[in-house]
Structure formats: C-alpha cells, structure tokens
Amino acid sequence: MKAKMILEKDFQVGEVDKRIFGSFIEHLGRAVYGGIYEPGHPTADEDGFRQDVLELVKELQVPIVRYPGGNFLSGYNWEDGIGPREERPRRLELAWRTIETNEVGVNEFMDWTKKANAEAMMAVNLGTRGIDAARTLVEYCNHPSGTYWSDLRRSHGYEEPHKIKVWCLGNEMDGPWQIGHKTAHEYGRIALETAKVMKWVDPTIELVACGSSNSGMRTFPEWEATVLEHTYDYVDYISLHTYYGNPDNDTPNFLASSLDMDQFIKTVIATADYVKAKKRSNKTINLSFDEWNVWFHSHAQDRELEPWQVAPPQLEDVYTHEDALVVGTLLISLLKHCHRVKIACQAQLVNVIAPIMTENMGPAWKQTIYYPYLHASQFGRGTVLQPLIQSPKYDSKRFSDVPYLEAIAVKNDEDHVTIFAVNRSLDKQLELETDLRGFSDFVLLEHIVLEHTDCKATNTKEHPNNVVPHHNGKTAIVGNIARSILPALSWNVIRLKRK
Ligand code: AHR
C-alpha cells in the first residue's frame, strides 16, 4: 500500500498550546494513594511522594494536571483536605464507593505539581456544593493574605498563594451518574453565578464550563449551546470528554476511533461559534478536552470490587499495543485541531486508566500508551502544519472511509519538523512518500517506531519492556522527497532537521 503527504511551510493549522499534553489525577483507586503518594515506599521523598513516579511524569513533560476529579469532585468537601492530617475526616466516597482518608488535599497536590514541573487545573464541586465553596477555595488558594481563607492557608504553612490559573466548573454535570446531576439550564445558571464570583475573587483565572460527558449523550450538543448561552461572558473554555474501547474485539473499527474524536471536536467548535454568533460576541470560546483515553479493559473486574475500601485497584486497564495506536491517533486528532483545543488531559496519569503503573511498595513501569504520549509531548510542540494526505481507505462497522494513514506534522522551530504517523493496517506496510516542499534542506534526524507482531501485547511488572519503541525506522530523503516504510500496525515519529 502507498500513501502520499505534502507538507508546505506556510500551510499551518496553528500554534500548539503545550497544555494539550496535560493529564489528570483523581481521588480514585490508586491514582493518589499508591500512585503519586506512598509514604513508606522505598523511593518516597520527605513529603511521601514516590520519586520513581515523579521521574516518569517528568519524562512525559506533563504541563498541566487536572485535580481532584472526576466523579469524585461532585461529593468532595475541599476543606476536608487541609490542616493537620490527623484531624482530617475519613469519608464515604459515593462516586466510586470507597473510603477517602483525605491524607492528600489541595496543598499536598500543589507541592506535588511543583516537583513534577506541572501546572494545576483545579476543579470546584457543583454537585453537592456551589458558589460559596468555590469562592472560598479560590480565596484560600489564590488570595495573597489578610483575609480569613488566605490567612488560614498561610497558617497551614503556605505563605505564598498557589496562583492556580485554570479552574473547572464541576464535572460531567450532564450525566445521571453524577452526584447533583443537572439539566443544561440548571447547570448553566449555577455555573454562571459561580464563575462570576470566582472571577471577582481572582480576575486572572480562566474557567472551563462542563460540556457533554461524551458525544453519545442524548443531550449533546444542545447541552453545550444552552450552557454557553448562560455562561458565555464568564467562561473561557467548554470541556469535552470521551473514552474508546474494543469490547467486541473489532480492531479495524477500534483503530478508527479518532474519526469520532475529530467529529466531536468539530461539532463543539460549531456549537460554540453558533452561540458566539447569536450573542454578537467578539470572544471565542476554546476547547478543553479534559478527559480522553482508552478505557474498557477493567470494567468487568471493577464490577466485582468490594465497596468501602481505601484506595482499591480500580480502573486498572492493562493496555495493549493496539490501544497505544489508538492513543497515537487521538493525539494526532488533538494536534489537528490545535487552533481551538487549547487544553487536553489524558485520563488519567497513574494506575487509573494510566500510562504509568505501580505496585504498592514495588516498582513503577510504562504501559504501552506511555510511548505515543511521550513522543507527542516531547516532539509535538510548535506549529502544526496542514498536510495534504492521500491514503487508501477502508470501511469498518461504524466508520466509512477510514484512511489507513493517520498523520500530522509539527514545525517545532525553524530547524526541526516532526511527522507523527499511524498505519492502521493489520497486515500491510504502508509506503509513505512525503513531499517536503518548503523544507528542501532538511535531513532525517531519526525515525522512531512502535510496532509489535501481537496487537494484544502488553507491558507488565514482569515484562515491562515487551512493547517499546525502536529507532530503526526506515526513512530515506532524496531531494524534496522523504520515503518512509510504516510497518503494519505501527506508530511512527519521523524527526527531520535542517542540514
Ligand atoms: O476518568 C474516570 C471517570 O470518567 C471520571 O471520574 C469521570 O469524570 C468520567 O466519567
């Protein structure tokens, strides 16, 4: 099979906001306890944070981490997580049917983000709580001093304000599973009033309104239109969430999941711009894709779990090679829409549907999906180019005209260009001819490939290096033309540099 791509210097989609390589930590399963935090672990630092995990997070260069949920958020009292640890309450956590010890709260999380070189994306509870708890949390975190809540923070040992810039107004409020689920009008009203007051406390913050929990929701996209009609002047982003899976073992169909993500993003852009037109506004609402990933492997196991445990193993998907390819195509989709998607969080970061896995008191290792995330975060910053692609196509159960080649290119700087490409074919290599017009004086730096003979191959504690990338990809450049071989079922990172 053959495919062609043309790259022109001046055909650009837009600048990548590095926050599209964000992640998410929820008080859920072993994400916090046993994930980022495990006092007593051999690598734990003086604050109880696992340094083996921190090293991996730093390697991923995660720029922003959403916290503390997720469904957890909608029953959370943030005040439970501040002050002396021994006085913090243990609570029934109703979203995930566990016990929350509150050993980690907002201050500890902020300590951790500093160590991880990441920014926090904080969320306020609009399920059981509302305006008051949101405004006091912003005051506690961001007001310098001289008021009840800011001085309380100082008394807890945090003299300087945390200066948290990005805040989410609740979580998945359109979903009946959410504590305090609301109609679009109910949510739109409370989100507006909360946003207004949060920005009165700190006018420098940016706010994310809840969009739909996924594009399959019956209320999508009317939800987005109604919510934005209420909140347009006070919010900066509308959120999108989506998870994909392969429960029927239909790999060609699963590998086409990014076509759904493309369509979801396009529809939300159109809906936000419809409200903009209706309001005769000059302001543009951007997109925060703050939950996305593959999630399905752990569903059955989670149904068997005994309730009311502390940090049980929940949502612990063990990812396959084909999952990594889907994650690669989803990252390409985010890059393709970088002109409007300014924040995105792979859900989640450690243990819970995550690129990083740990064993309590044991090692940490990289799941298959770690690698496309790593490469995109390392080499996907700069200006996204608008490629012209010709690829053979196939039809799957749900999608028609699925291109075998999914690809995008990023001009990292004047001297570097990176091509990300997935070959969706189960059994055929793809010969890719890239016309590098405008980049005629570029040579190959490296061609990284993630491939495996078994699309169900995984990385485990026992075999952590079963699915790992190699650097022996085949690309040759003659004149303006780069010829690459993309093996069947492969993720490719083709890095070019000026001669
Ligand atoms: O990331 C897991 C869960 O998925 C989150 O808690 C929720 O927001 C979504 O439904």
Side-chain angles (χ1 to χ4, degrees):
M1 279 197 307
K2 290 187 172 151
K4 278 191 178 169
M5 175 160 69
I6 302 175
L7 293 182
E8 240 310 334
K9 231 184 207 146
D10 298 324
F11 293 177
Q12 303 180 349
V13 180
E15 289 302 304
V16 176
D17 187 321
K18 67 175 182 190
R19 296 175 303 174
I20 69 167
F21 306 118
S23 189
F24 175 30
I25 293 272
E26 178 167 3
H27 280 253
L28 157 58
R30 298 191 306 121
V32 174
Y33 309 111
I36 62 169
Y37 176 80
E38 194 179 357
H41 186 273
T43 73
D45 66 11
E46 65 288 356
D47 296 321
F49 296 121
R50 284 183 64 147
Q51 294 185 78
D52 56 348
V53 172
L54 266 171
E55 284 315 308
L56 296 175
V57 175
K58 283 196 275 193
E59 185 184 40
L60 287 172
Q61 297 179 23
V62 181
I64 190 164
V65 184
R66 184 165 171 256
Y67 174 87
N71 296 340
F72 167 81
L73 175 71
S74 299
Y76 182 50
N77 298 332
W78 68 266
E79 303 88 338
D80 289 348
I82 57 172
R85 276 213 171 94
E86 57 287 2
E87 290 170 22
R88 297 186 191 175
R90 284 164 72 91
R91 299 263 189 211
L92 277 189
E93 200 295 284
L94 298 179
W96 301 105
R97 293 168 61 77
T98 58
I99 288 176
E100 172 57 48
T101 62
N102 286 302
E103 260 179 89
V104 169
V106 61
N107 291 320
E108 291 80 18
F109 180 68
M110 293 311 296
D111 288 340
W112 180 82
T113 57
K114 278 197 193 81
K115 295 178 193 216
N117 302 328
E119 182 190 332
M121 179 177 183
M122 193 58 61
V124 299
N125 173 357
L126 293 186
T128 56
R129 306 194 76 188
I131 304 169
D132 197 41
R135 70 168 174 152
T136 53
L137 179 56
V138 179
E139 185 182 324
Y140 182 88
C141 291
N142 284 12
H143 195 72
S145 64
T147 65
Y148 176 79
W149 291 103
S150 57
D151 287 342
L152 186 63
R153 180 199 69 240
R154 292 171 64 226
S155 77
H156 291 152
Y158 295 84
E159 182 63 33
E160 293 304 315
H162 295 310
K163 294 188 184 150
I164 300 169
K165 185 169 177 204
V166 186
W167 296 75
C168 303
L169 296 160
N171 177 69
E172 295 190 348
M173 299 308 300
D174 62 325
W177 59 86
Q178 202 68 214
I179 302 175
H181 165 223
K182 292 174 176 44
T183 66
H185 281 291
E186 287 167 347
Y187 171 69
R189 285 287 307 137
I190 188 73
L192 163 65
E193 291 304 321
T194 307
K196 190 173 86 183
V197 174
M198 288 170 76
K199 284 201 169 169
W200 285 352
V201 177
D202 182 352
T204 68
I205 60 176
E206 293 186 338
L207 295 173
V208 185
C210 284
S212 296
S213 302
N214 58 73
S215 60
M217 296 297 287
R218 206 176 35 81
T219 46
F220 174 75
E222 193 56 42
W223 172 276
E224 280 74 1
T226 307
V227 166
L228 285 177
E229 279 177 24
H230 283 288
T231 58
Y232 205 89
D233 293 336
Y234 281 95
V235 303
D236 304 282
Y237 309 92
I238 183 89
S239 75
L240 298 83
H241 290 182
T242 203
Y243 294 98
Y244 298 104
N246 190 11
D248 305 328
N249 198 17
D250 181 346
T251 297
N253 196 52
F254 179 45
L255 288 171
S257 299
S258 69
L259 275 68
D260 178 81
M261 189 188 235
D262 287 341
Q263 193 51 46
F264 190 10
I265 292 172
K266 284 188 186 122
T267 307
V268 176
I269 293 173
T271 309
D273 290 350
Y274 156 76
V275 181
K276 176 180 182 172
K278 206 170 164 189
K279 287 188 172 280
R280 281 40 173 176
S281 177
N282 287 327
K283 175 179 171 186
T284 299
I285 298 290
N286 284 317
L287 276 52
S288 170
F289 214 128
D290 45 46
E291 284 188 37
W292 67 268
N293 205 350
V294 170
W295 173 17
F296 74 108
H297 295 285
S298 57
H299 288 336
Q301 186 185 315
D302 285 339
R303 281 193 286 272
E304 304 297 313
L305 214 65
E306 274 297 305
W308 317 130
Q309 301 181 59
V310 175
Q314 285 173 303
L315 280 64
E316 297 205 354
D317 277 39
V318 176
Y319 288 113
T320 61
H321 175 60
E322 69 180 22
D323 297 331
L325 299 180
V326 170
V327 163
T329 59
L330 299 178
L331 285 159
I332 291 172
S333 174
L334 294 172
L335 285 167
K336 285 200 299 200
H337 299 97
C338 74
H339 59 303
R340 292 300 289 276
V341 180
K342 299 292 173 188
I343 302 174
C345 305
Q346 194 189 38
Q348 299 190 12
L349 187 54
V350 189
N351 291 329
V352 172
I353 42 175
I356 301 170
M357 285 299 285
T358 71
E359 185 181 65
N360 291 352
M361 297 307 285
W365 63 96
K366 301 171 183 180
Q367 295 236 51
T368 61
I369 63 168
Y370 184 94
Y371 294 104
Y373 183 9
L374 173 72
H375 298 147
S377 180
Q378 281 182 333
F379 307 125
R381 298 175 191 214
T383 308
V384 174
L385 301 172
Q386 180 69 68
L388 223 81
I389 293 177
Q390 279 175 26
S391 166
K393 296 181 174 166
Y394 68 93
D395 291 336
S396 76
K397 192 169 169 193
R398 183 172 161 211
F399 304 96
S400 42
D401 288 332
V402 182
Y404 282 103
L405 171 69
E406 193 63 67
I408 195 69
V410 181
K411 188 176 96 164
N412 307 113
D413 54 40
E414 285 312 310
D415 298 326
H416 297 89
V417 171
T418 303
I419 298 166
F420 298 103
V422 170
N423 176 5
R424 290 187 169 104
S425 171
L426 266 46
D427 49 11
K428 290 187 186 60
Q429 69 176 32
L430 200 52
E431 291 171 31
L432 171 62
E433 181 186 299
T434 308
D435 182 338
L436 296 170
R437 62 184 69 166
F439 299 101
S440 52
D441 49 348
F442 277 58
V443 293
L444 183 71
L445 190 57
E446 60 178 344
H447 177 170
I448 307 169
V449 185
L450 188 68
E451 60 178 327
H452 204 285
T453 46
D454 176 8
C455 67
K456 305 294 180 191
T458 57
N459 291 341
T460 57
K461 188 187 98 179
E462 291 73 25
H463 303 285
N465 297 320
N466 188 21
V467 184
V468 289
H470 67 76
H471 293 245
N472 302 324
K474 293 195 184 88
T475 290
I477 302 179
V478 180
N480 277 359
I481 304 295
R483 290 182 205 284
S484 308
I485 300 292
L486 314 183
L489 289 177
S490 65
W491 159 258
N492 299 264
V493 184
I494 303 166
R495 299 182 60 217
L496 312 171
K497 69 162 192 192
R498 192 186 291 278
K499 254 186 236 163

